[in-house]
Amino acid sequence: MEPTITPVDASFGAAVTDIDLANLDEAGWAFVEAAFIDYAMLVFPGQDLTSEAQTAFGRRFGAIEALVPGMDIPSVPLSNRKADGSVLAPDEHLFQTLRGNEGWHTDSSYMPLASKVALLSAQVVPPEGGETEWADMRAAWDALDTDQQDEIAGLSACHSLYHSQAEAGYVIETGAGYGYHDKGAPLRPLVKTHPVTGRKSLFIGRHAYSIPGMSEDASRKLLSGLLDVACQPPRIHTHRWQPGDIVVWDNRCLLHRARPYDVSQPRVMRATRIAGDPATELATTGPDKRASGFVPSAANS
Ligand code: OGA
Ligand code: MN
């Protein structure tokens, strides 16, 4: 069986059918690996993978990033329901994490080692909303004029979950655990060169703030202006999930976000995050601020 690949209507992305990811032979993997580099995002409808099969497919792309540190849970259920079936309340950490995912971001850019690839599959989907969207930051870079490219070429930004969750309306206390930096914030160039394709892309999103050498206000204006322009057609694609679908995307050159939905409706996804390569996804350490303008002192750190 030869897989069939159908590009989606955007500057990136394709759907792949006639393929069985649970029983992928070497020829099948070679096909996926090449298509992934060409399209940056692949949708595989109706695969219905078990958690183990999703993890095994994820491992083809690299080492799994442990989303629950210290625990061997490679593929994590992302559900707005608790184990007893009740709906998460707005003051719960996971509720706030799920709402936070509704802002454009790239995964784990707030960690010293950012993620390079992510996989998401749908188990239960709400009747309306709850789509996932991606945006092509290679095409966004290409769309800037040379003056704009020159203006940002040498700049870096801090990345932090304290910052992005505060912007989403959730103030997180110091020492909140996974993803919340305890020394300097990771500092990452605004322009990233893809380690495989060599293509440049904008490396921005909701976790990015505070550009060294610029005021907080100017940083905010620059970053939000870039994000607004970047995440526009034909550089975006929206996937309306069916249970059993799995999508894999390249965090090194795409942003993504969840779309809102009625949170009284269940939405159950399963996420697998692949760690970046230290040679290309490791951040340097930036200033010790948890959000724009926030500098810890002896009294409040
Ligand atoms: C994620 C994420 C988006 C969604 O799992 O990292 O951003 O649609 N998910 O649930
Ligand atoms: Mn994400």
Side-chain angles (χ1 to χ4, degrees):
M1 177 170 70
E2 258 303 291
T4 303
I5 188 148
T6 311
V8 304
D9 186 19
S11 61
F12 69 103
V16 184
T17 51
D18 304 316
I19 192 164
D20 177 8
L21 294 182
N23 296 291
L24 200 59
D25 60 14
E26 285 318 302
W29 167 243
F31 179 92
V32 171
E33 193 179 25
F36 179 73
I37 291 303
D38 284 349
Y39 289 97
M41 192 278 281
L42 299 174
V43 180
F44 301 91
Q47 291 285 329
D48 263 320
L49 296 182
T50 62
S51 183
E52 292 71 28
Q54 177 165 335
T55 299
F57 180 51
R59 287 209 164 102
R60 298 269 195 175
F61 293 88
I64 308 279
E65 182 188 325
L67 289 181
V68 186
M71 291 175 75
D72 188 20
I73 309 179
S75 293
V76 186
L78 263 192
S79 172
N80 64 348
R81 294 300 171 98
K82 294 193 258 197
D84 66 5
S86 61
V87 181
L88 288 170
D91 63 348
E92 290 183 77
H93 191 72
L94 182 56
F95 179 95
Q96 300 180 356
T97 301
L98 296 177
R99 289 289 79 70
N101 277 345
E102 293 173 8
W104 288 113
H105 64 282
T106 177
D107 290 325
S108 303
S109 66
Y110 47 75
M111 296 288 277
L113 188 62
S115 161
K116 67 172 177 181
V117 174
L119 299 90
L120 195 63
S121 64
Q123 322 297 311
V124 181
V125 297
E128 269 186 291
E131 300 89 350
T132 304
E133 269 178 357
W134 292 267
D136 184 353
M137 294 301 106
R138 309 165 304 177
W141 168 258
D142 293 345
L144 296 178
D145 63 38
T146 325
D147 286 350
Q148 292 169 310
Q149 290 182 340
D150 289 348
E151 184 195 340
I152 63 171
L155 301 178
S156 293
C158 300
H159 288 246
S160 155
L161 260 181
Y162 288 111
H163 165 78
S164 48
Q165 288 301 82
E167 294 288 309
Y170 307 121
V171 174
I172 308 291
E173 283 169 29
T174 304
Y178 175 85
Y180 295 91
H181 63 88
D182 55 2
K183 294 187 201 75
L187 188 64
R188 302 181 173 281
L190 258 56
V191 185
K192 184 171 175 71
T193 300
H194 195 283
V196 182
T197 65
R199 275 188 78 176
K200 286 186 176 172
S201 64
L202 280 176
F203 201 78
I204 54 176
R206 63 185 287 260
H207 305 308
Y209 66 109
S210 206
I211 296 172
M214 287 177 73
S215 70
E216 295 300 339
D217 200 41
S219 298
R220 179 184 293 272
K221 279 198 186 115
L222 177 62
L223 290 167
S224 66
L226 284 171
L227 198 61
D228 285 350
V229 171
C231 300
Q232 298 293 337
R235 297 181 287 274
I236 53 176
H237 175 70
T238 308
H239 182 63
R240 160 135 285 280
W241 295 95
Q242 298 295 323
D245 294 352
I246 182 165
V247 175
V248 57
W249 71 88
D250 195 331
N251 269 323
R252 296 166 295 194
C253 57
L254 302 183
L255 296 179
H256 63 281
R257 66 175 178 181
R259 300 303 288 149
Y261 58 97
D262 174 356
V263 292
S264 71
Q265 299 285 336
R267 182 180 192 260
V268 186
M269 312 294 284
R270 191 194 298 126
T272 314
R273 212 173 266 189
I274 309 303
D277 296 318
T280 45
E281 277 73 61
L282 200 58
T284 53
T285 303
D288 187 7
K289 7 170 116 163
R290 291 194 277 270
S292 341
F294 181 93
V295 181
S297 70
N300 61 15
S301 65

